[in-house]
């Protein structure tokens, strides 16, 4: 069972249905299922599972659950709420233990918490703090290396250095593909494509748009709703063929994600300056800059 869940969470089957695990799985299996559900945009179901796991007697599970819930809150623009959860994850992460190929170990849990705190700092405009936290992370597995690349790219984007964001995003994409991690590879392509179009060179924009269009097709086929709306939103701003057209796919995907979110998640999205909930109200401009603050997992 755990091997199948790992394939869904970190491998080649991110679209796998995992609902039965929430009722019958072990604590670690329920955490893996919540990771999968978050990628599919089922935030309410994931939040219910993770909320219970925060109090698990296994400190590793409790730490990973806190980091994962923080990630889901952050994806809906709740950086301040996520910060508290990431701090809890860091305080709970156990020392030592057997190394795990996917970072499901003490070192991986600590790295998840630190990267989450760095992403939270970016959302609050504290990029210097984000860089200091990022410097504390030593990748011990492919997953940490990939997530570190995402955050490194977002720091550069937040500081207006899009050219410098390309290299860590590219490295994350290569590492994710070498690991056979479909969702992480697709997410890496979103970060890379965004970095390229924000950089703004003629060749970079062309490559970025092509990459994002291809990525959007694959993401949609896999039902990874948490990635559909930001990808479509970036494309709506930079794809010449979409000029003048409302970002319909972004609106539909974000609407679907918010319907699947719990009340806390919907409130965070509504109040966040980083989630363009105004897209859901016809005729109003987005309340978010679509080029930042939604990239980190």
């Amino acid at each position: 069972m755990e091997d199948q869940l790992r394939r869904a969470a970190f491998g080649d089957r991110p679209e796998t249905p995992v609902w039965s695990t929430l009722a019958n799985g072990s604590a670690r299996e329920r955490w893996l299922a919540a990771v999968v559900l978050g990628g599919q945009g089922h935030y309410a179901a994931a939040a219910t599972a993770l909320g219970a796991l925060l109090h698990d007697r296994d400190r590793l599970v409790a730490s990973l659950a806190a980091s994962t819930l923080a990630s889901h809150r952050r994806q809906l623009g709740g950086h301040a709420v996520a910060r508290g959860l990431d701090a809890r994850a860091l305080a709970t992460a156990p020392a030592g233990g057997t190394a795990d190929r996917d970072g499901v170990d003490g070192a991986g849990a600590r790295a998840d918490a630190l990267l989450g705190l760095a992403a939270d700092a970016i959302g609050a405009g504290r990029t210097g703090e984000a860089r200091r936290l990022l410097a504390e992370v030593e990748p011990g597995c492919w997953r940490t290396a990939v997530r570190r690349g995402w955050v490194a790219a977002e720091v550069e984007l937040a500081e207006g250095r899009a050219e410098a964001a390309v290299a860590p995003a590219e490295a994350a994409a290569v590492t994710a593909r070498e690991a056979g991690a479909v969702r992480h590879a697709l997410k890496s392509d979103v970060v890379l494509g965004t970095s390229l179009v924000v950089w703004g060179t003629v060749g970079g924009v062309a490559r970025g748009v092509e990459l994002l269009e291809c990525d959007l097709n694959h993401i949609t086929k896999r039902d990874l709703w948490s990635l559909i709306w930001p990808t479509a939103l970036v494309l709506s701003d930079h794809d010449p063929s979409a000029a003048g057209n409302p970002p319909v796919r972004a609106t539909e995907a974000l609407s679907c994600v918010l319907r699947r979110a719990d009340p806390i998640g919907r409130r965070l999205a509504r109040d966040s300056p980083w989630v363009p909930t105004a897209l859901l109200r016809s005729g109003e401009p987005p309340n978010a800059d679509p080029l930042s603050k939604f990239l980190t997992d």
Side-chain angles (χ1 to χ4, degrees):
M1 173 65 79
E2 183 171 326
D3 285 344
Q4 294 176 356
L5 288 166
R6 283 189 184 241
R7 286 185 66 185
F10 308 130
D12 61 343
R13 297 292 302 278
E15 71 280 9
T16 300
V18 295
W19 297 101
S20 61
T21 304
L22 297 182
N24 304 316
S26 66
R28 183 172 298 203
E29 289 169 348
R30 281 179 279 132
W31 168 70
L32 286 166
V35 171
V36 177
L37 289 168
Q40 296 171 354
H42 292 288
Y43 288 126
T48 298
L50 293 168
L53 292 171
L54 292 177
H55 309 285
D56 197 86
R57 287 182 293 181
D58 184 335
R59 292 184 59 180
L60 176 59
V61 170
S63 177
L64 292 168
S67 289
T68 304
L69 184 56
S71 173
H72 296 171
R73 295 310 192 201
R74 190 164 51 247
Q75 288 169 17
L76 292 176
H79 292 79
V81 171
R83 181 180 175 85
L85 289 163
D86 284 317
R88 177 174 181 159
L90 184 60
T92 308
T98 304
D100 181 87
R101 69 181 187 275
D102 298 318
V104 185
D105 53 33
R110 184 175 186 275
D112 282 352
L114 288 169
L115 290 170
L117 287 167
D120 302 330
I122 295 170
R126 300 191 296 269
T127 55
E129 177 184 332
R131 286 188 184 278
R132 289 192 295 273
L133 289 162
L134 198 60
E136 293 187 39
V137 178
E138 292 291 339
C141 71
W142 70 267
R143 191 169 65 85
T144 298
V146 169
R147 296 191 71 235
R148 192 184 190 284
W150 297 344
V151 179
E154 192 177 5
V155 171
E156 303 297 351
L157 286 171
E159 292 188 346
R161 292 161 37 88
E163 180 179 1
V166 173
E170 193 109 55
V174 170
T175 301
R177 283 188 167 79
E178 289 176 346
V182 169
R183 178 171 61 86
H184 290 74
L186 292 171
K187 174 68 176 287
S188 298
D189 284 347
V190 175
V191 179
L192 176 58
T194 301
S195 300
L196 287 165
V197 299
V198 177
W199 183 12
T201 65
V202 174
V205 171
R207 182 189 173 203
V209 167
E210 182 179 6
L211 186 63
L212 290 167
E213 286 178 338
C214 179
D215 216 41
L216 185 58
N217 289 331
H218 289 292
I219 290 167
T220 303
K221 289 177 182 177
R222 299 276 188 171
D223 287 333
L224 299 177
W225 291 92
S226 63
L227 292 178
I228 293 174
W229 73 263
T231 308
L233 193 59
V234 175
L235 273 173
S236 72
D237 274 9
H238 291 277
D239 183 357
S241 66
N245 297 325
V248 175
R249 294 187 76 174
T251 300
E252 291 175 345
L254 181 56
S255 177
C256 180
V257 165
L258 293 179
R259 284 197 303 271
R260 295 174 171 181
D262 63 320
I264 294 174
R266 287 195 295 272
R267 175 179 59 78
L268 292 173
R270 184 189 67 236
D271 296 342
S272 173
W274 309 127
V275 178
T277 51
L279 281 177
L280 306 180
R281 299 188 290 274
S282 177
E284 296 184 26
N287 62 314
D289 174 1
L291 303 180
S292 61
K293 310 302 187 294
F294 56 74
L295 298 178
T296 52
D297 180 7

